[in-house]
Amino acid sequence: MTEPGLTRLVECVPNVSEGRRPEVVEEIVAAFAAPGVLVLDHSSDPDHHRTVITLMGQGPALVEGAVAGARACARLIDLNHHRGVHPRMGALDVLPFVPFGAETRLRGGDDSDLDCADLAERAGRRIAAEVGVPVYLYGAAARHPGWTALPAVRGRGFETLRAAPDRVPDFGGPGLHPTAGATAAGAREVLIAYNVELADADLALARRIASAVRERDGGLPAVRAMGVPLASRGRGGPGDRQGGPPVDRGDVQVSMNLLDWRATPPAAAYAAVAALAEANGARVETSEIVGLAPAGALDGVDPADLRLRGFSPDMLLESRLLQALTTSKETR
């Protein structure tokens, strides 16, 4: 991939608070697909009630797509009626810009179109002004030292922030949008969303395993984790969703964000979860990568050893980009 322009590519991975209405997801994805933006993937989960979209393009095109996508999210999603196991504070919940091309960087440089933090600021400013949704900056774009980590920005989520806002957004506000909440726009390195589903386990065990593997509690480096129920799998109860009763037994998941796949690749995360599950009389049913992963993260790994659901080379970021570029050329 050496054609002109590829060194200037930026990745953008919007996380949207909708995972159950396919027609709404399709409309939102189409809105993000501004001219010059390649939609590489979108992955929805009904239990998390969330969709992760992977976009690639040059900076200005991604900013245009982000504003259009934010507008569609605000129009189509009402968080007052949204319940899922994943924390959220906004209809367009998270909007990270990620360096990809050789010329792009997390922050700094002479060209703002190659600066992911600057792109996050530009998108955030316009979303607040044009869509009316307040925006917090996080990651490398954060203006406040305490807002570098996404969980610190999101806090306890939409309902809590709406009832008692304890921080002023970087753009817009000070209160949340009444139905679309607020968006966290930021700049970060590549993140892999990786989930391991357990059988013969209850929610309490999934949560204990999550605590054991996450960095904050002394676990694996650069790992965030939570234990969640999977009511849609059919064996559990109604789900430990926001506002819902807890699940005692059924299908459960250790849901992880691998913030640095070189420090903790999926294979290491899988091994840790599997060992803890086995030690407690449970077992791994399957695992999944949400969205796309860089090829290096699975280099030398047999996907069967991770029980990866539906694995194919299409799950690799570089492969999907090559496909999208080829399709784009053919349709010109």
Side-chain angles (χ1 to χ4, degrees), residues 70-128:
R71 185 177 292 111
C73 289
R75 176 170 53 86
L76 295 168
I77 297 171
D78 184 347
L79 289 185
N80 296 289
H81 304 291
H82 178 281
R83 297 292 182 271
V85 299
H86 199 290
R88 82 287 184 269
M89 69 175 184
L92 170 55
D93 191 49
V94 188
L95 183 71
F97 291 82
V98 182
F100 181 82
E103 297 180 41
T104 59
R105 54 192 56 82
L106 207 57
R107 173 179 280 283
D110 297 329
D111 189 338
S112 62
D113 290 346
L114 304 175
D115 181 334
C116 290
D118 190 84
L119 294 172
E121 290 189 18
R122 284 152 61 181
R125 186 178 292 107
R126 288 188 55 189
I127 288 169

Short mmCIF file of all heavy atoms in Angstrom, two decimals, residues 70-128:
data_model
loop_
_atom_site.label_atom_id
_atom_site.label_comp_id
_atom_site.label_asym_id
_atom_site.label_seq_id
_atom_site.Cartn_x
_atom_site.Cartn_y
_atom_site.Cartn_z
N ALA A 70 -22.70 12.35 13.97
CA ALA A 70 -23.21 12.84 15.26
C ALA A 70 -24.64 13.38 15.11
O ALA A 70 -25.49 13.17 15.98
CB ALA A 70 -22.29 13.92 15.81
N ARG A 71 -24.88 14.04 14.00
CA ARG A 71 -26.23 14.58 13.76
C ARG A 71 -27.24 13.44 13.63
O ARG A 71 -28.35 13.50 14.19
CB ARG A 71 -26.21 15.44 12.50
CG ARG A 71 -27.54 16.16 12.23
CD ARG A 71 -27.46 17.05 11.02
NE ARG A 71 -26.56 18.19 11.24
CZ ARG A 71 -25.38 18.37 10.64
NH1 ARG A 71 -24.94 17.46 9.78
NH2 ARG A 71 -24.65 19.42 10.89
N ALA A 72 -26.87 12.37 12.92
CA ALA A 72 -27.77 11.23 12.78
C ALA A 72 -28.00 10.53 14.11
O ALA A 72 -29.12 10.14 14.44
CB ALA A 72 -27.19 10.25 11.76
N CYS A 73 -26.96 10.39 14.91
CA CYS A 73 -27.11 9.76 16.22
C CYS A 73 -28.06 10.56 17.11
O CYS A 73 -28.92 9.99 17.79
CB CYS A 73 -25.74 9.65 16.90
SG CYS A 73 -24.64 8.42 16.17
N ALA A 74 -27.91 11.87 17.11
CA ALA A 74 -28.77 12.72 17.94
C ALA A 74 -30.23 12.64 17.49
O ALA A 74 -31.15 12.73 18.31
CB ALA A 74 -28.27 14.16 17.90
N ARG A 75 -30.43 12.46 16.20
CA ARG A 75 -31.79 12.40 15.67
C ARG A 75 -32.45 11.05 15.92
O ARG A 75 -33.67 10.97 16.13
CB ARG A 75 -31.75 12.70 14.16
CG ARG A 75 -33.08 12.58 13.43
CD ARG A 75 -32.99 13.13 12.02
NE ARG A 75 -31.89 12.54 11.26
CZ ARG A 75 -31.99 11.39 10.58
NH1 ARG A 75 -33.14 10.71 10.59
NH2 ARG A 75 -30.97 10.93 9.89
N LEU A 76 -31.67 9.98 15.93
CA LEU A 76 -32.23 8.63 15.91
C LEU A 76 -32.15 7.90 17.26
O LEU A 76 -32.79 6.87 17.42
CB LEU A 76 -31.50 7.80 14.85
CG LEU A 76 -31.70 8.26 13.40
CD1 LEU A 76 -30.71 7.57 12.48
CD2 LEU A 76 -33.13 7.98 12.96
N ILE A 77 -31.37 8.41 18.21
CA ILE A 77 -31.17 7.69 19.47
C ILE A 77 -31.61 8.56 20.64
O ILE A 77 -31.21 9.72 20.74
CB ILE A 77 -29.69 7.31 19.65
CG1 ILE A 77 -29.23 6.35 18.54
CG2 ILE A 77 -29.45 6.67 21.02
CD1 ILE A 77 -27.73 6.10 18.54
N ASP A 78 -32.42 7.99 21.51
CA ASP A 78 -32.86 8.66 22.74
C ASP A 78 -32.35 7.84 23.91
O ASP A 78 -32.83 6.74 24.18
CB ASP A 78 -34.39 8.76 22.77
CG ASP A 78 -34.91 9.53 23.98
OD1 ASP A 78 -34.13 9.78 24.92
OD2 ASP A 78 -36.11 9.86 23.99
N LEU A 79 -31.37 8.37 24.63
CA LEU A 79 -30.78 7.63 25.74
C LEU A 79 -31.73 7.44 26.91
O LEU A 79 -31.49 6.59 27.77
CB LEU A 79 -29.51 8.34 26.22
CG LEU A 79 -28.30 8.28 25.28
CD1 LEU A 79 -27.09 8.92 25.96
CD2 LEU A 79 -27.99 6.86 24.87
N ASN A 80 -32.82 8.20 26.95
CA ASN A 80 -33.81 7.99 28.00
C ASN A 80 -34.47 6.63 27.89
O ASN A 80 -35.07 6.13 28.85
CB ASN A 80 -34.87 9.09 27.95
CG ASN A 80 -34.28 10.46 28.24
OD1 ASN A 80 -33.91 10.76 29.36
ND2 ASN A 80 -34.18 11.29 27.20
N HIS A 81 -34.39 6.02 26.70
CA HIS A 81 -34.99 4.70 26.47
C HIS A 81 -33.93 3.66 26.13
O HIS A 81 -34.25 2.62 25.55
CB HIS A 81 -36.02 4.79 25.34
CG HIS A 81 -37.08 5.81 25.59
ND1 HIS A 81 -38.04 5.68 26.58
CD2 HIS A 81 -37.31 7.01 25.00
CE1 HIS A 81 -38.83 6.74 26.57
NE2 HIS A 81 -38.41 7.57 25.63
N HIS A 82 -32.69 3.92 26.46
CA HIS A 82 -31.58 3.03 26.11
C HIS A 82 -31.09 2.30 27.35
O HIS A 82 -30.76 2.92 28.36
CB HIS A 82 -30.45 3.87 25.52
CG HIS A 82 -29.22 3.08 25.17
ND1 HIS A 82 -28.28 2.69 26.12
CD2 HIS A 82 -28.76 2.62 23.98
CE1 HIS A 82 -27.31 2.03 25.51
NE2 HIS A 82 -27.57 1.98 24.23
N ARG A 83 -31.05 0.97 27.28
CA ARG A 83 -30.52 0.16 28.36
C ARG A 83 -29.61 -0.90 27.76
O ARG A 83 -30.02 -1.68 26.91
CB ARG A 83 -31.65 -0.52 29.16
CG ARG A 83 -32.59 0.46 29.88
CD ARG A 83 -31.87 1.18 31.01
NE ARG A 83 -32.76 2.06 31.74
CZ ARG A 83 -32.99 3.34 31.43
NH1 ARG A 83 -32.39 3.87 30.36
NH2 ARG A 83 -33.79 4.08 32.15
N GLY A 84 -28.37 -0.94 28.23
CA GLY A 84 -27.41 -1.94 27.77
C GLY A 84 -26.37 -2.16 28.84
O GLY A 84 -26.26 -1.38 29.79
N VAL A 85 -25.57 -3.21 28.71
CA VAL A 85 -24.60 -3.50 29.75
C VAL A 85 -23.34 -2.64 29.64
O VAL A 85 -22.54 -2.60 30.56
CB VAL A 85 -24.19 -5.00 29.74
CG1 VAL A 85 -25.41 -5.87 30.01
CG2 VAL A 85 -23.50 -5.39 28.44
N HIS A 86 -23.16 -1.96 28.52
CA HIS A 86 -21.96 -1.13 28.34
C HIS A 86 -22.22 0.28 28.87
O HIS A 86 -23.25 0.88 28.58
CB HIS A 86 -21.57 -1.06 26.88
CG HIS A 86 -20.14 -0.63 26.65
ND1 HIS A 86 -19.71 0.65 26.89
CD2 HIS A 86 -19.06 -1.33 26.24
CE1 HIS A 86 -18.42 0.74 26.63
NE2 HIS A 86 -18.00 -0.45 26.24
N PRO A 87 -21.29 0.85 29.63
CA PRO A 87 -21.45 2.24 30.08
C PRO A 87 -21.55 3.18 28.87
O PRO A 87 -20.92 2.95 27.84
CB PRO A 87 -20.18 2.52 30.87
CG PRO A 87 -19.58 1.19 31.15
CD PRO A 87 -20.01 0.27 30.07
N ARG A 88 -22.32 4.27 29.03
CA ARG A 88 -22.42 5.25 27.95
C ARG A 88 -22.91 6.57 28.51
O ARG A 88 -23.61 6.61 29.52
CB ARG A 88 -23.33 4.77 26.82
CG ARG A 88 -24.84 4.97 27.05
CD ARG A 88 -25.41 4.00 28.08
NE ARG A 88 -26.84 4.12 28.23
CZ ARG A 88 -27.46 4.89 29.11
NH1 ARG A 88 -26.75 5.65 29.91
NH2 ARG A 88 -28.77 4.92 29.19
N MET A 89 -22.53 7.66 27.85
CA MET A 89 -23.05 8.97 28.22
C MET A 89 -23.61 9.70 27.02
O MET A 89 -24.18 10.78 27.17
CB MET A 89 -21.96 9.82 28.88
CG MET A 89 -20.84 10.27 27.96
SD MET A 89 -19.70 11.39 28.83
CE MET A 89 -18.59 11.82 27.48
N GLY A 90 -23.46 9.11 25.81
CA GLY A 90 -23.93 9.81 24.64
C GLY A 90 -24.47 8.88 23.57
O GLY A 90 -24.13 7.69 23.53
N ALA A 91 -25.33 9.42 22.70
CA ALA A 91 -25.80 8.67 21.54
C ALA A 91 -24.60 8.32 20.66
O ALA A 91 -24.38 7.16 20.31
CB ALA A 91 -26.84 9.49 20.78
N LEU A 92 -23.84 9.34 20.28
CA LEU A 92 -22.48 9.12 19.78
C LEU A 92 -21.61 9.20 21.02
O LEU A 92 -21.28 10.26 21.50
CB LEU A 92 -22.08 10.18 18.75
CG LEU A 92 -20.60 10.18 18.33
CD1 LEU A 92 -20.15 8.82 17.83
CD2 LEU A 92 -20.33 11.26 17.29
N ASP A 93 -21.26 8.05 21.56
CA ASP A 93 -20.65 8.00 22.88
C ASP A 93 -19.18 8.37 22.84
O ASP A 93 -18.71 9.17 23.65
CB ASP A 93 -20.84 6.60 23.47
CG ASP A 93 -20.48 6.54 24.94
OD1 ASP A 93 -20.97 7.40 25.70
OD2 ASP A 93 -19.72 5.63 25.32
N VAL A 94 -18.44 7.78 21.91
CA VAL A 94 -17.00 7.98 21.84
C VAL A 94 -16.60 8.21 20.38
O VAL A 94 -17.10 7.54 19.48
CB VAL A 94 -16.23 6.76 22.40
CG1 VAL A 94 -14.75 7.08 22.50
CG2 VAL A 94 -16.77 6.34 23.74
N LEU A 95 -15.68 9.15 20.17
CA LEU A 95 -15.22 9.48 18.83
C LEU A 95 -13.69 9.61 18.85
O LEU A 95 -13.16 10.71 18.93
CB LEU A 95 -15.87 10.79 18.35
CG LEU A 95 -15.52 11.23 16.93
CD1 LEU A 95 -16.19 10.31 15.91
CD2 LEU A 95 -15.98 12.68 16.71
N PRO A 96 -12.98 8.48 18.80
CA PRO A 96 -11.51 8.56 18.82
C PRO A 96 -10.91 8.65 17.41
O PRO A 96 -11.37 7.98 16.48
CB PRO A 96 -11.11 7.24 19.49
CG PRO A 96 -12.20 6.30 19.09
CD PRO A 96 -13.46 7.11 18.93
N PHE A 97 -9.86 9.45 17.28
CA PHE A 97 -9.05 9.51 16.06
C PHE A 97 -7.73 8.81 16.36
O PHE A 97 -7.12 9.04 17.41
CB PHE A 97 -8.83 10.96 15.65
CG PHE A 97 -10.07 11.64 15.16
CD1 PHE A 97 -10.99 12.18 16.05
CD2 PHE A 97 -10.34 11.74 13.80
CE1 PHE A 97 -12.15 12.80 15.61
CE2 PHE A 97 -11.50 12.36 13.34
CZ PHE A 97 -12.40 12.89 14.24
N VAL A 98 -7.29 7.96 15.43
CA VAL A 98 -6.17 7.05 15.67
C VAL A 98 -5.15 7.18 14.54
O VAL A 98 -5.52 7.07 13.36
CB VAL A 98 -6.68 5.59 15.75
CG1 VAL A 98 -5.53 4.64 16.06
CG2 VAL A 98 -7.81 5.46 16.76
N PRO A 99 -3.89 7.39 14.84
CA PRO A 99 -2.88 7.45 13.77
C PRO A 99 -2.80 6.14 13.00
O PRO A 99 -2.85 5.06 13.59
CB PRO A 99 -1.57 7.70 14.53
CG PRO A 99 -1.97 8.20 15.87
CD PRO A 99 -3.29 7.57 16.18
N PHE A 100 -2.67 6.26 11.68
CA PHE A 100 -2.50 5.06 10.86
C PHE A 100 -1.39 5.26 9.83
O PHE A 100 -0.44 4.51 9.78
CB PHE A 100 -3.81 4.68 10.16
CG PHE A 100 -3.69 3.44 9.33
CD1 PHE A 100 -3.79 2.19 9.91
CD2 PHE A 100 -3.45 3.50 7.96
CE1 PHE A 100 -3.65 1.02 9.15
CE2 PHE A 100 -3.31 2.35 7.19
CZ PHE A 100 -3.41 1.11 7.79
N GLY A 101 -1.53 6.27 8.97
CA GLY A 101 -0.53 6.52 7.95
C GLY A 101 0.80 6.95 8.56
O GLY A 101 0.87 7.42 9.69
N ALA A 102 1.86 6.78 7.77
CA ALA A 102 3.21 7.07 8.26
C ALA A 102 3.39 8.52 8.67
O ALA A 102 4.23 8.84 9.52
CB ALA A 102 4.23 6.68 7.20
N GLU A 103 2.60 9.42 8.08
CA GLU A 103 2.76 10.84 8.38
C GLU A 103 1.87 11.31 9.53
O GLU A 103 2.06 12.42 10.04
CB GLU A 103 2.46 11.68 7.13
CG GLU A 103 3.40 11.44 5.97
CD GLU A 103 3.03 12.29 4.76
OE1 GLU A 103 2.69 13.48 4.95
OE2 GLU A 103 3.08 11.77 3.64
N THR A 104 0.89 10.51 9.90
CA THR A 104 -0.04 10.95 10.94
C THR A 104 0.55 10.68 12.32
O THR A 104 1.37 9.79 12.51
CB THR A 104 -1.39 10.24 10.80
OG1 THR A 104 -1.22 8.83 10.89
CG2 THR A 104 -2.04 10.59 9.47
N ARG A 105 0.08 11.44 13.29
CA ARG A 105 0.61 11.32 14.65
C ARG A 105 -0.50 11.61 15.66
O ARG A 105 -1.55 12.17 15.33
CB ARG A 105 1.77 12.28 14.85
CG ARG A 105 1.44 13.74 14.53
CD ARG A 105 2.67 14.60 14.46
NE ARG A 105 3.65 14.10 13.51
CZ ARG A 105 3.60 14.33 12.19
NH1 ARG A 105 2.60 15.02 11.67
NH2 ARG A 105 4.52 13.85 11.39
N LEU A 106 -0.23 11.21 16.88
CA LEU A 106 -1.22 11.40 17.93
C LEU A 106 -1.43 12.88 18.24
O LEU A 106 -2.56 13.35 18.36
CB LEU A 106 -0.75 10.66 19.19
CG LEU A 106 -1.80 10.18 20.18
CD1 LEU A 106 -2.81 9.28 19.52
CD2 LEU A 106 -1.11 9.45 21.34
N ARG A 107 -0.34 13.61 18.36
CA ARG A 107 -0.42 15.04 18.64
C ARG A 107 0.84 15.72 18.13
O ARG A 107 1.94 15.16 18.18
CB ARG A 107 -0.57 15.30 20.15
CG ARG A 107 -0.48 16.78 20.52
CD ARG A 107 -0.65 17.04 22.00
NE ARG A 107 -2.05 17.03 22.39
CZ ARG A 107 -2.90 18.04 22.17
NH1 ARG A 107 -2.48 19.13 21.54
NH2 ARG A 107 -4.14 17.97 22.57
N GLY A 108 0.67 16.96 17.64
CA GLY A 108 1.82 17.76 17.26
C GLY A 108 2.12 17.68 15.78
O GLY A 108 1.50 16.94 15.01
N GLY A 109 3.07 18.48 15.35
CA GLY A 109 3.44 18.52 13.95
C GLY A 109 2.99 19.81 13.29
O GLY A 109 2.25 20.61 13.87
N ASP A 110 3.44 19.98 12.05
CA ASP A 110 3.16 21.23 11.34
C ASP A 110 1.83 21.21 10.59
O ASP A 110 1.31 22.26 10.24
CB ASP A 110 4.29 21.52 10.34
CG ASP A 110 5.63 21.72 11.02
OD1 ASP A 110 5.63 22.23 12.16
OD2 ASP A 110 6.66 21.36 10.43
N ASP A 111 1.29 20.02 10.33
CA ASP A 111 0.07 19.91 9.53
C ASP A 111 -1.06 19.42 10.43
O ASP A 111 -1.06 18.28 10.89
CB ASP A 111 0.32 18.92 8.38
CG ASP A 111 -0.83 18.91 7.37
OD1 ASP A 111 -1.95 19.31 7.74
OD2 ASP A 111 -0.58 18.49 6.21
N SER A 112 -2.04 20.28 10.66
CA SER A 112 -3.13 19.91 11.57
C SER A 112 -3.98 18.77 11.03
O SER A 112 -4.65 18.07 11.79
CB SER A 112 -4.02 21.14 11.85
OG SER A 112 -4.62 21.61 10.66
N ASP A 113 -3.98 18.56 9.71
CA ASP A 113 -4.75 17.47 9.13
C ASP A 113 -4.15 16.10 9.44
O ASP A 113 -4.79 15.07 9.19
CB ASP A 113 -4.86 17.63 7.61
CG ASP A 113 -5.75 18.79 7.21
OD1 ASP A 113 -6.49 19.30 8.08
OD2 ASP A 113 -5.71 19.19 6.04
N LEU A 114 -2.93 16.08 9.95
CA LEU A 114 -2.27 14.83 10.31
C LEU A 114 -2.18 14.64 11.82
O LEU A 114 -1.59 13.67 12.30
CB LEU A 114 -0.85 14.80 9.72
CG LEU A 114 -0.74 14.99 8.21
CD1 LEU A 114 0.72 15.06 7.79
CD2 LEU A 114 -1.45 13.86 7.48
N ASP A 115 -2.76 15.55 12.57
CA ASP A 115 -2.68 15.60 14.03
C ASP A 115 -4.01 15.10 14.60
O ASP A 115 -5.03 15.79 14.52
CB ASP A 115 -2.39 17.04 14.45
CG ASP A 115 -2.26 17.21 15.95
OD1 ASP A 115 -2.84 16.43 16.71
OD2 ASP A 115 -1.57 18.17 16.36
N CYS A 116 -4.01 13.90 15.18
CA CYS A 116 -5.27 13.31 15.64
C CYS A 116 -5.92 14.12 16.75
O CYS A 116 -7.15 14.24 16.81
CB CYS A 116 -5.03 11.88 16.10
SG CYS A 116 -4.65 10.74 14.74
N ALA A 117 -5.12 14.68 17.66
CA ALA A 117 -5.69 15.50 18.72
C ALA A 117 -6.36 16.74 18.14
O ALA A 117 -7.45 17.14 18.59
CB ALA A 117 -4.61 15.89 19.72
N ASP A 118 -5.74 17.35 17.14
CA ASP A 118 -6.33 18.52 16.51
C ASP A 118 -7.62 18.15 15.79
O ASP A 118 -8.61 18.90 15.82
CB ASP A 118 -5.34 19.16 15.53
CG ASP A 118 -5.81 20.51 15.04
OD1 ASP A 118 -5.57 21.51 15.75
OD2 ASP A 118 -6.46 20.58 13.97
N LEU A 119 -7.64 17.00 15.13
CA LEU A 119 -8.86 16.55 14.45
C LEU A 119 -9.99 16.34 15.45
O LEU A 119 -11.15 16.68 15.17
CB LEU A 119 -8.58 15.27 13.67
CG LEU A 119 -7.61 15.39 12.50
CD1 LEU A 119 -7.28 14.01 11.95
CD2 LEU A 119 -8.19 16.27 11.39
N ALA A 120 -9.67 15.76 16.61
CA ALA A 120 -10.69 15.57 17.64
C ALA A 120 -11.25 16.90 18.11
O ALA A 120 -12.46 17.05 18.32
CB ALA A 120 -10.10 14.79 18.82
N GLU A 121 -10.38 17.89 18.28
CA GLU A 121 -10.84 19.22 18.69
C GLU A 121 -11.74 19.84 17.63
O GLU A 121 -12.78 20.43 17.95
CB GLU A 121 -9.64 20.12 18.95
CG GLU A 121 -8.86 19.75 20.19
CD GLU A 121 -7.80 20.80 20.53
OE1 GLU A 121 -7.92 21.92 20.01
OE2 GLU A 121 -6.88 20.49 21.30
N ARG A 122 -11.34 19.73 16.37
CA ARG A 122 -12.15 20.32 15.30
C ARG A 122 -13.52 19.65 15.21
O ARG A 122 -14.55 20.32 15.08
CB ARG A 122 -11.39 20.18 13.97
CG ARG A 122 -10.26 21.19 13.85
CD ARG A 122 -9.13 20.71 12.96
NE ARG A 122 -9.54 20.44 11.58
CZ ARG A 122 -8.69 20.00 10.65
NH1 ARG A 122 -7.41 19.76 10.97
NH2 ARG A 122 -9.10 19.79 9.42
N ALA A 123 -13.52 18.33 15.29
CA ALA A 123 -14.80 17.61 15.25
C ALA A 123 -15.65 17.95 16.46
O ALA A 123 -16.86 18.20 16.35
CB ALA A 123 -14.55 16.11 15.18
N GLY A 124 -15.04 17.99 17.65
CA GLY A 124 -15.78 18.29 18.86
C GLY A 124 -16.39 19.68 18.85
O GLY A 124 -17.55 19.86 19.25
N ARG A 125 -15.62 20.64 18.40
CA ARG A 125 -16.12 22.01 18.34
C ARG A 125 -17.34 22.10 17.42
O ARG A 125 -18.34 22.76 17.74
CB ARG A 125 -15.01 22.95 17.88
CG ARG A 125 -15.40 24.43 17.93
CD ARG A 125 -14.24 25.32 17.51
NE ARG A 125 -13.14 25.28 18.49
CZ ARG A 125 -11.99 24.68 18.29
NH1 ARG A 125 -11.74 24.03 17.16
NH2 ARG A 125 -11.06 24.71 19.22
N ARG A 126 -17.26 21.44 16.27
CA ARG A 126 -18.37 21.51 15.31
C ARG A 126 -19.59 20.71 15.79
O ARG A 126 -20.73 21.13 15.55
CB ARG A 126 -17.90 21.01 13.95
CG ARG A 126 -16.95 21.99 13.25
CD ARG A 126 -16.66 21.55 11.83
NE ARG A 126 -17.88 21.36 11.07
CZ ARG A 126 -17.93 20.81 9.85
NH1 ARG A 126 -16.80 20.41 9.28
NH2 ARG A 126 -19.08 20.68 9.22
N ILE A 127 -19.37 19.57 16.43
CA ILE A 127 -20.50 18.79 16.94
C ILE A 127 -21.27 19.60 17.98
O ILE A 127 -22.51 19.63 17.98
CB ILE A 127 -20.01 17.45 17.52
CG1 ILE A 127 -19.56 16.52 16.38
CG2 ILE A 127 -21.10 16.78 18.35
CD1 ILE A 127 -18.83 15.29 16.84
N ALA A 128 -20.57 20.28 18.86
CA ALA A 128 -21.23 21.11 19.86
C ALA A 128 -21.99 22.25 19.20
O ALA A 128 -23.14 22.55 19.56
CB ALA A 128 -20.22 21.64 20.86
#
